[in-house]
Amino acid sequence: MGLPSGDSVRGRKKSSSRGHHRFVGVRQEPSGGWVAEIKDSLQKVRLWLGTFDTAEFAARAYDHAARSLRGANAQTNFDLLKSSANSILQVGSESCP
């Protein structure tokens, strides 16, 4: 599954105490992998989104889940380009019966 690479970072990264940047919904495991999780406020549960090789991939997984759960105005790590959003909608509508 390809991820758009032209997205701009929204500035939602936080600085950790170690000087590394952190993305919303992303943390690093002791083994070095990156984990993405999101809290579903309606069901009051934390959803596991997976383990990823890079923080950026984990952040993009978080962004996708945030938009699915909370809509287009969800707090995300990256801006979704309008051209990317339109192409995703077009592909999705072509696959519907």
Side-chain angles (χ1 to χ4, degrees):
M1 177 177 210
L3 296 171
S5 60
D7 299 78
S8 62
V9 176
R10 272 198 175 170
R12 299 263 192 245
K13 289 194 271 186
K14 302 176 187 175
S15 258
S16 71
S17 59
R18 296 182 188 164
H20 298 108
H21 291 287
R22 290 179 29 137
F23 292 103
V24 175
V26 176
R27 63 180 172 83
Q28 190 170 23
E29 293 185 315
S31 63
W34 294 91
V35 172
E37 300 172 311
I38 190 168
K39 184 174 180 186
D40 183 349
S41 327
L42 295 175
Q43 296 180 5
K44 298 182 181 177
V45 295
R46 189 180 326 193
L47 301 174
W48 176 265
L49 303 175
T51 304
F52 302 87
D53 292 334
T54 67
E56 183 178 340
F57 285 147
R60 291 183 185 279
Y62 173 88
D63 288 1
H64 179 76
R67 287 186 183 102
S68 295
L69 289 171
R70 301 179 184 128
N73 294 325
Q75 176 183 347
T76 59
N77 295 295
F78 301 98
D79 288 326
L80 181 63
L81 298 177
K82 289 187 180 189
S83 61
S84 297
N86 289 338
S87 64
I88 291 169
L89 292 174
Q90 289 172 355
V91 170
S93 64
E94 290 173 3
S95 62
C96 293

